[in-house]
Amino acid sequence: MTIKDLEPKIVWNNFYGLTRIPRPSKHEEKVQQYLLDWGKARGIEVLRDDTGNIIFRKPATPGYENRRGVIFQGHMDMVPQKTADTVHDFLTDPIETEVVGEWVAAKGTTLGADNGIGVCIGLSVLEDNTLKHGPVEVLVTYDEETGMTGADCLKPGVLKGDILLNLDSETEGELYIGCAGGLDGTADFAYGTVSAPEGYESWRLTVKGFSGGHSGMDIILYRANANKAAARILLPLVEKYGVKVVDFTGGSLRNAIPFEAVVSMLVPADAAADVKAAVEEVFALIKAEYSETDPGAVCYFEKQDTPYPSYIEDEVMLRALKAVIACPDGVERMSASVEGLVETSNNMAVVRTEDGHLTVRCLMRSSVDSAKENLASKMRCVFELAGAEFSTQGGYSGWTPKPDTPIIATIKDVYKEKFGKDMKVMAIHAGLECALLGAKYPEWDMVSFGPTIVHPHSPDERVKIDTVGKTWEFVKAVLENIPEK
């Protein structure tokens, strides 16, 4: 069975088409053209704005012309993550999918259900001429995952509707009416290199198998951070045994919890056995601490045949390791007003050594702007004390919940009538484009919902098949019940 055999076929066939098109963030030219061609082939009005957003418009069905206009919204890009043993070029290769029991997954890569499934539900609304609805628009935004560029640059007045249904949430049966703001932080350590001394051997440390995941949705799961784990292993090796660090590569994306880190190092030959034992001892502690929340981690410490010619100067490396260990990571504070909601968090997402710079990239989130800024200040203090330069970029505010809008009442009533249970209304500790879009269109009523997706931003990403069908039926019912102007 393939995804084209699944029901509802209209949604899954559209998703299959999208999986054929490479669409990592910042490289969305192919998917933009695909969407333009898709609309033109079906006689649907479609345009691309100056930023790269794609906008579709479909008139109301007869008798529904006086309904309020609805805008379905999702983002075209996907997070490009793959397992270490998977050969895949996200700029050229399609995503290969498979049906695994109740789920659809990809083979060794992220699936792109975040947010491809949401986009394809919107496309299916446009394509299905049996639906009853008022004026419909579909907004497919550019570059959501690395900066929300499309939402941030959308011009006021382009869209005509006044109800936004964002399809980028990941638990069916939950209705989101608020989200966290975000802020990127970057620490930079400048370093020199030193020629490798005599009597040292080349070794490589790899920590991998952590679950990773979405740095907003999954941060509450208290999974291990591969960058923090590698630094924790390294520090005693540098301090006690004189190990020299050659390079450090951990994580790849600001909004994905890092699941793998690799460190090359020079180890004194006469201490290699002790160093190996120390690596195993510290990793055993990490493994035990995360036995419940991240049990799949493994550690390899392997001697290399090729000698490393140089290493990062000791003083800088030691200060950087201490800063990485000292800085906050994970949940910083839970919300005092919304039970079970993370208020403030940090993801120490990427560590890189390249061209004389050791760079640490973080993504801080909070539903309270002052708390987000305070966390950034804390990060700055730690890194500046360690001798790094620290800067912040790309800040955006959260989406403030408005629980009493008419569209929320309509959606809750439709869900209860159709499925016999209440929809859970809540806020989310992740960045949704609603926050930026609402600033451009303050008159909009906005909500976010979608099918169940687990482990987004990781190669374990998958979408639950029956929730796609359930969301599709829900969307159709909501459209039919949109109130008049």
Side-chain angles (χ1 to χ4, degrees), residues 392-404:
T392 56
Q393 309 84 27
Y396 57 92
S397 296
W399 166 28
T400 303
K402 298 177 182 178
D404 300 320

Side-chain angles (χ1 to χ4, degrees), residues 138-203:
V138 175
L139 168 64
V140 187
T141 46
Y142 166 81
D143 185 36
E144 187 268 354
E145 297 289 4
T146 64
M148 298 195 182
T149 307
D152 190 37
C153 296
L154 181 70
K155 293 179 180 178
V158 175
L159 295 162
K160 309 305 179 185
D162 61 358
I163 294 172
L164 181 81
L165 304 182
N166 171 280
L167 297 170
D168 194 17
S169 294
E170 293 160 354
T171 304
E172 193 282 322
E174 295 180 351
L175 184 69
Y176 293 95
I177 62 170
C179 71
L183 183 65
D184 294 324
T186 303
D188 182 80
F189 293 85
Y191 64 79
T193 56
V194 182
S195 297
E198 295 292 330
Y200 279 70
E201 300 172 342
S202 300
W203 287 75

Side-chain angles (χ1 to χ4, degrees), residues 242-255:
V243 164
K244 314 293 186 184
V245 177
V246 175
D247 58 51
F248 190 129
T249 303
S252 59
L253 297 167
R254 60 188 256 293
N255 54 2

Side-chain angles (χ1 to χ4, degrees), residues 48-70:
R48 173 169 45 196
D49 72 7
D50 294 340
T51 303
N53 300 312
I54 304 296
I55 299 168
F56 299 88
R57 294 193 178 99
K58 185 179 182 182
T61 51
Y64 285 75
E65 293 88 351
N66 201 38
R67 302 295 179 97
R68 295 176 64 187
V70 172

Side-chain angles (χ1 to χ4, degrees), residues 155-404:
K155 293 179 180 178
V158 175
L159 295 162
K160 309 305 179 185
D162 61 358
I163 294 172
L164 181 81
L165 304 182
N166 171 280
L167 297 170
D168 194 17
S169 294
E170 293 160 354
T171 304
E172 193 282 322
E174 295 180 351
L175 184 69
Y176 293 95
I177 62 170
C179 71
L183 183 65
D184 294 324
T186 303
D188 182 80
F189 293 85
Y191 64 79
T193 56
V194 182
S195 297
E198 295 292 330
Y200 279 70
E201 300 172 342
S202 300
W203 287 75
R204 178 172 295 163
L205 168 71
T206 304
V207 289
K208 60 187 295 187
F210 295 112
S211 299
H214 190 292
S215 67
M217 300 287 289
D218 295 328
I219 205 78
I220 196 172
L221 300 178
Y222 295 98
R223 293 170 175 167
N225 180 308
N227 292 328
K228 299 277 280 191
R232 182 174 168 185
I233 293 169
L234 273 176
L235 183 60
L237 307 186
V238 173
E239 290 185 320
K240 184 175 181 179
Y241 298 104
V243 164
K244 314 293 186 184
V245 177
V246 175
D247 58 51
F248 190 129
T249 303
S252 59
L253 297 167
R254 60 188 256 293
N255 54 2
I257 300 170
F259 57 84
E260 182 172 316
V262 179
V263 183
S264 301
M265 65 189 77
L266 293 164
V267 176
D270 57 2
D274 291 335
V275 169
K276 192 174 193 313
V279 169
E280 293 170 351
E281 179 182 357
V282 177
F283 182 73
L285 295 174
I286 295 170
K287 182 88 170 173
E289 290 167 12
Y290 290 94
S291 60
E292 296 293 329
T293 59
D294 217 342
V298 294
C299 176
Y300 301 103
F301 189 60
E302 301 164 313
K303 187 177 179 182
Q304 306 298 298
D305 294 331
T306 304
Y308 300 131
S310 61
Y311 64 92
I312 297 168
E313 54 186 320
D314 291 334
E315 181 187 353
V316 176
M317 195 67 228
L318 189 60
R319 287 191 276 109
L321 288 175
K322 289 179 177 179
V324 168
I325 291 170
C327 268
D329 178 74
V331 175
E332 176 79 356
R333 177 182 165 89
M334 297 295 292
S335 172
S337 57
V338 181
E339 184 177 357
L341 176 69
V342 177
E343 178 206 275
T344 306
S345 73
N346 181 57
N347 178 43
M348 187 167 287
V350 179
V351 178
R352 285 285 185 280
T353 53
E354 189 175 16
D355 298 330
H357 292 271
L358 188 156
T359 306
V360 182
R361 294 188 175 90
C362 306
L363 174 55
M364 296 160 277
R365 302 180 190 263
S366 184
S367 53
V368 178
D369 283 350
S370 60
K372 180 182 64 183
E373 297 298 333
N374 183 56
L375 177 59
S377 178
K378 187 184 298 186
M379 302 282 288
R380 178 182 63 80
C381 290
V382 172
F383 278 114
E384 287 184 354
L385 284 170
E389 294 183 0
F390 186 78
S391 60
T392 56
Q393 309 84 27
Y396 57 92
S397 296
W399 166 28
T400 303
K402 298 177 182 178
D404 300 320

